Structures are given as structure tokens and as C-alpha cells.
């Protein structure tokens, strides 16, 4: 009963490299995909799923209970609206949409039909991040004063991980650049770790090192409802060999440092530094399970047990999109 039958709309990089292995590792089944690209459908068929060129074919699959949407950002809305109309549970990739208007339409579509919907903020499910949340909740850090995040990569004009066109450098398809792509993870993660949302935000963007028009870097500062500060440095212009994935949670009694945990893969490290002695203590977490596997498990569990669905919220994710819009100076 616990093995969920999944469909995927958009079988490109993230779906192939992270979601399909996550579905398998969680003991669920990938039943079918929908993708207009024959090579993407062939990749899905190679792992035992049925390929459909259009959404109607996927919707006609009775075994598909939950659908993961992983198309380029500007196509999230049309897929979610159709899936909601068909009554499917939906896990939609971040950012919720390419525009705030589309995100509002998504929230409306799933709320008006009472669809189980989640935005795929996989980093909520990284075992190290769950451990940080537990430490914060237990008061180990004292009063949390700040969260500092660096989440960066190198994304050149020709970047492509699954042979797809680089839609990320086209504002019409992506909705923005590095800020739109990478900052939603950090904004959502602060909410998850501290159990309170960011309510105030400001940002500066740059178009500095890459030869395309969307922002290739941004610094964001925010403040949560309770007064903790957040800083995020996100970038497409940081060489991948440099340290570029770091999360720190600072409190009056100590500091938690997570390195190489932000991202799609398992592992990384987590260290507690005591505020009185300065002593560093490595903290253990499940370093084998990826955030995608854990996300599939959590979504599948909530699909079966509606009382767990409060952890997923289209309204909260829409608020994150509002923060992104404000960070860009819109709205
Ligand atoms: N959570 C994460 O860590 C993470 C990581 C990577 C990407 N993402 C998100 O996942 C989404 C996909 O990113 P990607 O890098 O895998 O992109 P990609 O370009 O590699 O794959 C997109 C796929 O969508 C398909 N597609 C295009 N139009 C379609 C349509 N109308 N219907 C169905 N399929 C269609 C393409 O053929 C392609 O196979 C984006 O929203 C991105 O922001 C999230």
C-alpha cells in the first residue's frame, strides 16, 4: 500500500538524475512520464516507465497517483492546472512558477480543488537539515540570531546536464537568473530550520561574469517574523571546484555549520561549535539517503496519511514566491 505510483511531467536532468533514483530508493514506482522530447521518453522507457508525448496520455494512466512536475519553470502552471483538474496529487519543482502571477494561479488551482500539493523543496528533507531543525527546536543554539547561506555554481551559456536547451538563461522561461533558480531553496530552508518565515527582504543582483542577460549572482538579506536575520549569496558565476555550498545557523549559545548539504545529493558534514568553549563537535546524520529519496518518502507518506499534509503548503510556497518577486524589486 505504501508504494506510490508516480508520473513525471518533464523527464530531463533533475527527474532522471535525482527523482527517478529517489522514487526507486523509497520503494515507490515510476509508472509513466510525459515529455515532448523523444530522447527524454526513451530515457524513461529505459528505466521501465511508459512514455507519453502529451499530458492526456499520462492522465489516462490509472496507476499514476502522484505526479512530479519538472518542466522548465514557465511550464509548471499549465501542467499543475491540468493535473489539479484531473484530481492528481502534485509535487511541483521549485520555483513554483516563472512569475508570481503563475504561482498565484497554481495556488488557486490546487486550493479550489483541495488537491494535495507540494513544491519540491527537497532541502527540507536533507537529513542534515532535519538534524539542524531538531537542534534549533531543542534550544541547543540558544536564541538564533542569523542564518547565513552560500549556494552557488557555475552555469555557463552552454550549460546542459541532460542534453536539453539551457532555458535557465532565458528570463521568459526561467523567470530570472541565479536569484530565481537558487534563492527559493534558501528562503524556504530558513523557514523550515527556524519554523518561522522570512517576512522582510532586500537584495542586490549582478550580471557580472557570464555573457547572458539574466542575473548571474545575488545577495539577499532577510529577517524572519521573530527577528532572526538571513543572508543568502547565490550565484551562477562561482567555479564548481570552489567551496560553494555552506549553511550556518548562529545562536547565542553556539553555531551549526553544514557544508555540502545544500543540493540534490546525500552526505556533506554538520558541525556544532559551542558558544562558551569554542569546541567543535561533528554531528551525525544519515549520510546515505538523498534529500530526493526523503522527499519522496515524506510526500508518499502524506499521500496515504492526510494528517501529515500540514507540512506541505501552497500558501507558504506562494509567500516564498512573493519574497522572490520583492527581492527582484517587483511587488
Ligand atoms: N530541486 C532541485 O534541486 C532542482 C534541481 C534541478 C532542477 N530543478 C527544477 O526542475 C525543473 C526542471 O529542471 P531541469 O534542469 O531538469 O530541466 P531540463 O531542461 O533538464 O528538463 C526539462 C524537461 O522538460 C521537458 N519538457 C519541455 N516542455 C514540456 C512539456 N510541455 N511537457 C512535458 N515536458 C516538457 C523537456 O523536454 C525536458 O526533458 C525546473 O523547474 C528546475 O528549477 C530543481
Amino acid at each position: 500500500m505504501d508504494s506510490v505510483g508516480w508520473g513525471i511531467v518533464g523527464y530531463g536532468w533533475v527527474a532522471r538524475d535525482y527523482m527517478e533514483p529517489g522514487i526507486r530508493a523509497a520503494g515507490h514506482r515510476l509508472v509513466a512520464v510525459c515529455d515532448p522530447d523523444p530522447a527524454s521518453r526513451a530515457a524513461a522507457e529505459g528505466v521501465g516507465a511508459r512514455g507519453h508525448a502529451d499530458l492526456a496520455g499520462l492522465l489516462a494512466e490509472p496507476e499514476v497517483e502522484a505526479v512530479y512536475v519538472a518542466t522548465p519553470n514557465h511550464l509548471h502552471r499549465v501542467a499543475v492546472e491540468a493535473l489539479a483538474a484531473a484530481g492528481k496529487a502534485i509535487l511541483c519543482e521549485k520555483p513554483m512558477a516563472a512569475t508570481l502571477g503563475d504561482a498565484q494561479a497554481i495556488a488557486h488551482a490546487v486550493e479550489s480543488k483541495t488537491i494535495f500539493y507540494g513544491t519540491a523543496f527537497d532541502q527540507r528533507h536533507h537529513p542534515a537539515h532535519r538534524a539542524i531543525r531538531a537542534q534549533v527546536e531543542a534550544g541547543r543554539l540558544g536564541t538564533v540570531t542569523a542564518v547565513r547561506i552560500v549556494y552557488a555554481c557555475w552555469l555557463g551559456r552552454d550549460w546542459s546536464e541532460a542534453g536539453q536547451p539551457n532555458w535557465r538563461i532565458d528570463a521568459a522561461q526561467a523567470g530570472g537568473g541565479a536569484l530565481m533558480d537558487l534563492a527559493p531553496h534558501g528562503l524556504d530552508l530558513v523557514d523550515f530550520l527556524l519554523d518561522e518565515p522570512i517576512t522582510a527582504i532586500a537584495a542586490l543582483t549582478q550580471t557580472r561574469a557570464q555573457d547572458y542577460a539574466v542575473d548571474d549572482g545575488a545577495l539577499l538579506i532577510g529577517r524572519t517574523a521573530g527577528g532572526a536575520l538571513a543572508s543568502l549569496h547565490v550565484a551562477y558565476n562561482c567555479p564548481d571546484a570552489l567551496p560553494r555550498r555552506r549553511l550556518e545557523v548562529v545562536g547565542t549559545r553556539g553555531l551549526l555549520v553544514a557544508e555540502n548539504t545544500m543540493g540534490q545529493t546525500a552526505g556533506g558534514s554538520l558541525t556544532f561549535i559551542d558558544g562558551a568553549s569554542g569546541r567543535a563537535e561533528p554531528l551525525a546524520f544519515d549520510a546515505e539517503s538523498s534529500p530526493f529519496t526523503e522527499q519522496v518518502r515524506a510526500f508518499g507518506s502524506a499521500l496515504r496519511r492526510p494528517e501529515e499534509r500540514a507540512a506541505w503548503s501552497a500558501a507558504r510556497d506562494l509567500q516564498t514566491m512573493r519574497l522572490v518577486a520583492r527581492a527582484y524589486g517587483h511587488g
Side-chain angles (χ1 to χ4, degrees):
M1 176 213 177
D2 274 351
S3 169
V4 173
W6 284 86
I8 295 183
V9 182
Y11 198 67
W13 171 49
V14 71
R16 288 181 217 179
D17 284 15
Y18 301 109
M19 187 62 179
E20 188 278 329
I23 289 172
R24 225 174 333 117
H28 296 194
R29 291 163 291 119
L30 176 58
V31 175
V33 313
C34 151
D35 198 307
D37 173 30
S40 298
R41 293 201 299 278
E45 284 156 8
V47 294
R50 288 183 283 278
H52 298 280
D54 56 34
L55 199 51
L58 182 76
L59 292 176
E61 293 268 5
E63 271 179 78
V64 171
E65 300 170 89
V67 180
Y68 170 66
V69 176
T71 59
N73 302 341
H74 69 304
L75 298 171
H76 290 181
R77 174 183 174 174
V78 65
V80 171
E81 286 179 335
L83 292 164
K88 300 287 186 194
I90 304 163
L91 180 63
C92 176
E93 263 302 343
K94 48 50 62 182
M96 204 172 177
T99 65
L100 183 55
D102 276 5
Q104 281 162 335
I106 284 176
H108 175 73
V110 298
E111 278 162 4
S112 60
K113 299 229 178 320
T114 54
I115 296 296
F116 175 34
Y117 169 90
T119 304
F121 286 118
D122 57 289
Q123 300 192 12
R124 287 182 164 249
H125 306 280
H126 192 294
H129 300 162
R130 287 180 175 165
I132 294 175
R133 181 176 150 111
Q135 296 276 322
V136 168
E137 203 174 16
R140 185 107 194 262
L141 297 183
T143 300
V144 173
T145 52
V147 180
R148 303 189 289 239
I149 289 173
V150 174
Y151 190 39
C153 64
W154 183 266
L155 191 123
R157 167 172 289 279
D158 298 327
W159 186 88
S160 174
E161 289 286 332
Q164 306 295 335
N166 190 5
W167 53 267
R168 280 179 173 76
I169 62 170
D170 175 9
Q173 296 178 78
L179 193 162
M180 176 60 88
D181 191 27
L182 303 174
H185 279 300
L187 298 173
D188 180 70
L189 198 51
V190 170
D191 184 329
F192 174 69
L193 297 176
L194 306 191
D195 204 18
E196 59 180 42
I198 290 177
T199 49
I201 194 153
L204 292 173
T205 59
Q206 66 184 168
T207 307
R208 173 77 170 161
Q210 302 289 4
D211 62 348
Y212 44 70
V214 295
D215 49 286
D216 63 6
L219 279 174
L220 296 84
I221 55 171
R223 194 176 52 226
T224 65
L229 296 174
S231 76
L232 284 79
H233 178 204
V234 292
Y236 278 169
N237 53 28
C238 176
D240 287 341
L242 296 180
R244 58 188 178 82
R245 297 188 288 145
R246 187 178 176 90
L247 162 64
E248 299 181 340
V249 185
V250 195
T252 53
R253 294 174 56 188
L255 167 69
L256 280 165
V257 181
E259 286 176 292
N260 299 320
T261 59
M262 296 200 61
Q264 299 84 18
T265 49
S269 68
L270 179 59
T271 308
F272 174 75
I273 303 175
D274 186 76
S277 65
R279 200 173 60 85
E281 173 196 339
L283 297 189
F285 58 89
D286 179 354
E288 302 302 319
S289 195
S290 85
F292 273 78
T293 303
E294 294 300 316
Q295 176 176 245
V296 169
R297 284 200 179 112
F299 194 86
S301 181
L303 183 67
R304 297 282 183 255
R305 298 166 196 84
E307 67 275 15
E308 294 176 15
R309 294 185 190 173
W312 309 79
S313 164
R316 180 187 64 219
D317 302 338
L318 180 57
Q319 201 53 34
T320 299
M321 282 298 294
R322 288 201 183 96
L323 293 176
V324 169
R326 262 189 259 155
Y328 270 119
H330 322 132

